[in-house]
Amino acid sequence: MVNTVFYEPDTLKEFAIDVLIKAGVKLDNAEKVADTLICADLRGVSSHGIIRLPTYVQRIEAGVLNPNAETVLEKKGKSVALLNANNGFGQVAGYKAMHTAMEFAGVYGTGMVGVKDSNHFGIASYYSMMALEKDMIGIVLTHSSPAIAPYGTTRPLLGTNPLSVAVPACKEKPIVLDMSMSMVARGKIRYAAMTNSKIPLNWALDEEGNPTDNPQKALKGSLVPIGGVKGSGLALVVDILCGVLTGNSLTGEVKNITDMSGPSKTGHIFCAINISDFVDIIEFKNNIDFIINKIKSLPSAENNPVYLPGEIEYNLADKRMKEGIPIDESVIETLNSLANRYRISNL
């Protein structure tokens, strides 16, 4: 049985900031990175939470990530732009890019910003949900290192390539879709490997193409795409948008976050839609409430509760803000080892 310890979100955030600053990250960047990590843990996406901190630090120490790189504007159209992260944190570039997309949307109705030469940016919903604050719809895409074999092949080439869409509601919780194109995000398999846990057999294949419950074998093999050929096709399209459209990299060229041989060459796409330029915002949000309630009024399978995308994560975040975030002891040991190296207080 895995033992866990509960921590207040602010405690974990301050710890992450302290570590990052000691690793050479300036305060503003450290706060953005830490915020995305805690957001992930609050929403139950522990694979993208504070467990990622040691890997981020390792990339800084290896010199394959520039922690204080300036994200610069490379190209600009009326409602589109291309930003160059200059091999900096994906969180820093993502924060700037989403704000830029929302500024465009406020003027032109829609905004789209691509980011090149970036790194892992945490959970995609962190950025799509930023649009909710402006009563906009947020759409975010990113690609990743080879993990999925294109349909009909046996060799990983496509990334898990997440997509997130956030839609505001009126009285109901917003609809927040956050999904990868594989049955599960590779980070969850990485997390299972770190905590010595087995994985479901429908998550991944080993190097021979056989289903496996061993996360170590899964990491050497490939992930199963959602919906077979459909998931494979979606992963390819996201790769084209984030990699080819931004002039960042071609399919299969993004490096794994644990690959310390060089920059990861990750690309992202951030879109914002100003709802009021299409329909009255109150009317739209009331209609979203109507749709949510209509879905919840349908007969439930096996009398289970009916949840909309993002609702479980919203409820969990609310709970963890009050009760704390559970962290496995094995993860705590890894984090405290990092703290000891940088001579800061342990968790």
Side-chain angles (χ1 to χ4, degrees):
M1 182 177 178
V2 178
N3 294 319
T4 59
V5 179
F6 286 78
Y7 291 93
E8 292 184 359
D10 285 347
T11 298
L12 292 177
K13 185 175 179 178
E14 289 170 8
F15 176 85
I17 290 172
D18 288 345
V19 169
L20 289 166
I21 289 175
K22 285 286 188 177
V25 184
K26 64 182 182 181
L27 177 60
D28 187 50
N29 288 353
E31 288 176 339
K32 287 184 175 65
V33 174
D35 200 37
T36 64
L37 297 178
I38 303 313
C39 176
D41 277 323
L42 282 171
R43 294 176 67 80
V45 192
S46 53
S47 59
H48 286 54
I50 199 166
I51 193 173
R52 292 278 187 175
L53 185 61
T55 304
Y56 288 163
V57 171
Q58 189 179 2
R59 293 192 66 79
I60 295 171
E61 293 174 338
V64 296
L65 182 154
N66 183 350
N68 298 313
E70 183 180 356
T71 300
V72 298
L73 179 66
E74 192 163 292
K75 291 184 179 181
K76 183 179 181 298
K78 285 187 177 180
S79 63
V80 299
L82 176 64
L83 301 182
N84 191 327
N86 286 311
N87 194 33
F89 274 112
Q91 287 88 342
V92 175
Y95 186 84
K96 181 174 182 177
M98 195 63 206
H99 270 293
T100 303
M102 290 189 292
E103 289 172 6
F104 286 154
V107 177
Y108 300 107
T110 61
M112 179 173 172
V113 178
V115 176
K116 63 186 290 188
D117 197 15
S118 185
N119 284 279
H120 187 268
F121 69 3
I123 57 170
S125 56
Y126 178 87
Y127 309 96
S128 65
M129 289 190 298
M130 288 170 61
L132 299 176
E133 300 170 10
K134 299 291 186 180
D135 274 340
M136 295 181 179
I137 294 173
I139 303 173
V140 176
L141 312 170
T142 189
H143 64 165
S144 55
S145 59
I148 297 173
Y151 192 77
T153 73
T154 59
R155 186 174 180 178
L157 181 69
L158 305 171
T160 55
N161 298 357
L163 158 71
S164 180
V165 181
V167 181
C170 187
K171 295 180 181 179
E172 302 298 328
K173 299 178 180 70
I175 294 173
V176 182
L177 175 71
D178 192 346
M179 54 174 275
S180 66
M181 301 310 163
S182 55
M183 288 294 292
V184 67
R186 184 167 44 188
K188 290 188 177 181
I189 294 180
R190 212 176 273 123
Y191 183 83
M194 290 183 67
T195 55
N196 296 314
S197 306
K198 288 187 176 182
I199 60 173
L201 282 172
N202 66 334
W203 280 12
L205 308 175
D206 60 21
E207 290 181 283
E208 285 73 45
N210 301 311
T212 180
D213 61 3
N214 185 321
Q216 300 290 355
K217 291 183 178 180
L219 289 172
K220 294 178 180 178
S222 61
L223 302 184
V224 176
I226 56 172
V229 64
K230 296 179 181 180
S232 176
L234 283 170
L236 175 60
V237 169
V238 172
D239 218 35
I240 291 170
L241 292 173
C242 294
V244 183
L245 182 63
T246 60
N248 180 72
S249 56
L250 300 183
T251 299
E253 291 183 349
V254 175
K255 283 185 170 60
N256 192 297
I257 190 174
T258 59
D259 184 343
M260 302 297 162
S261 65
S264 69
K265 297 291 289 182
T266 303
H268 324 291
I269 293 290
F270 301 85
C271 301
I273 300 173
N274 192 11
I275 297 165
S276 62
D277 279 359
F278 290 84
V279 295
D280 178 78
I281 184 62
I282 300 301
E283 177 187 353
F284 176 87
K285 292 167 74 172
N286 282 331
N287 283 338
I288 296 300
D289 278 6
F290 176 82
I291 292 169
I292 291 171
N293 288 314
K294 188 171 185 178
I295 292 173
K296 285 182 172 291
S297 70
L298 296 173
S300 63
E302 301 179 359
N303 293 317
N304 290 323
V306 176
Y307 295 107
L308 275 291
E311 186 178 0
I312 292 175
E313 291 84 352
Y314 183 97
N315 293 341
L316 185 59
D318 186 56
K319 179 182 179 182
R320 289 185 171 182
M321 282 296 295
K322 300 171 184 175
E323 300 177 2
I325 295 172
I327 304 294
D328 291 348
E329 285 187 343
S330 59
V331 177
I332 296 171
E333 290 178 7
T334 301
L335 294 172
N336 284 338
S337 175
L338 188 62
N340 291 336
R341 283 204 293 115
Y342 281 106
R343 298 181 180 178
I344 65 172
S345 299
N346 284 4
L347 284 172

